[in-house]
Amino acid sequence: MLRRFPPKYATPEELPALQLKGLQWTVAHAFRNSPFYRRRLTAAGVSPSDIRTLEDLARLPFTTAEDLRDGYPLPLLSVEPREIVRIHSSSGTTGKRKILCYTRKDIDDWLHMFARCYEMAGLSPEDRVQICVGYGLWTAGAGFQLGAEKFGAMTIPAGPGNLDLQCTFLLDLQTTVICCTASMGLLLAEEIHARGLRGRLNLKKVIMGAERTSEATVAAIKDLLGVKEVYDIPGLTELYGPGTGLSCAHEAGIHYWADYYILELLDPDTLAPVGPGEIGEMVYTTLGKEAAPLIRYRSRDLTRLVEGACPCGCILPRHDRILGRSDDMVVFRGVNIYPGQVDEVLSRVDGAGSEHQVLFERREDGKDYMALKVERSGHIGESADIPLSRAIAGEIKRNLMVSCSVEILPHGTLPRSEKKTRRVFDNRRY
Ligand code: ZN
């Protein structure tokens, strides 16, 4: 299926050897050229010649966002500064910006990966791609833009916002593909719906990236635009940027480019690998990144691996949607609970709205209690509250292995925010 930007291996059996070769190269390169990595590896008692099998990955020390900050402005630098051709930067959720740098080869690799996304999403050179993400220091604009050019589609670098201009181009240029963040996608879909433009557009696909998506958003965008295909591109500035994987057309998870990086899923507390299908923190090791290679970089993002062969026939492995960040994890009666898990359960219960709050409390009996407040979805009446709360409590028990009380509230009761809405309140005193 992937003809021009195929995986660098032909069968799943060939992948470990390819990854080992890349791992050995990365460790040797980082040890030789980066004072930071040399210090870290030496402190861990590992030298490049110790990496003989993929299992030796577990001997390598971790790299974190703090390391990137400590090494500001050019952390993890492993080449001569004159070899750098590009800088990108992300604001990061706390403190200083993260700055990452790229050599010519790093950019070429990234664009190859991004072009693979477009190919896998079924685009052709006939497609007209309107790119509605931010350009500049952020990785999204450059990635979506240059990846689409490398692939060979017509590109329209519209940038974010400016709904008037977006609608004009969608109509006049008969755009077939929109690339955007999930929030921009929803905004644009609502605008097109409000203007009644749907029937005059030629839109076939939406590719979303650079933001955690939920099933509810994807469903709303499909519904408002009448578009059948919505793809999700995961991305992390530290790992090139967006374009390092793409959700499967069969909606069977996200294929990730395992020929460019190794993805480990580890328990954020013990840092041991999680079992099959269990949620873990995504930890990245790059296989050919020159300027700022990653060795066991802890992203704090959470997901689970999807096992087995994909019905679409693609041999690239899969992980699930990003379910949240390990910083947001709550430990309740010995069970790790991630906010994304609650989202996920509620999205499967008919009648539950998208807004909810999770409260944790310690009562006088000394025990911890979990309470869930959930809005009814718009079209549901009060009479369904009791079966609805039972259904939600049952699904939470089945999926998260914890008991909770559920209160159903009228639609529109809980606070909304344009930014990140706070939904988890841990009121226990420790
Ligand atoms: Zn697939």
Side-chain angles (χ1 to χ4, degrees), residues 1 120 246-253 255 310-314 316 318:
M1 181 185 59
M120 202 153 135
L246 185 80
S247 62
C248 176
H250 290 237
E251 301 191 352
H255 287 284
C310 188
C312 79
C314 176
L316 289 155
R318 289 171 291 159

Side-chain angles (χ1 to χ4, degrees), residues 220-291:
I221 289 173
K222 277 186 180 173
D223 186 41
L224 292 169
L225 292 177
V227 164
K228 287 196 186 67
E229 296 175 55
V230 175
Y231 295 91
D232 190 5
I233 285 190
L236 185 73
T237 307
E238 298 89 311
L239 181 72
Y240 300 93
T244 53
L246 185 80
S247 62
C248 176
H250 290 237
E251 301 191 352
I254 293 169
H255 287 284
Y256 68 91
W257 306 165
D259 45 354
Y260 285 91
Y261 60 93
I262 297 172
L263 174 64
E264 294 176 272
L265 283 194
L266 306 180
D267 182 302
D269 288 332
T270 65
L271 297 174
V274 298
E278 283 177 24
I279 295 173
E281 178 177 332
M282 302 170 85
V283 175
Y284 296 97
T285 301
T286 54
L287 301 175
K289 200 163 179 269
E290 293 180 335

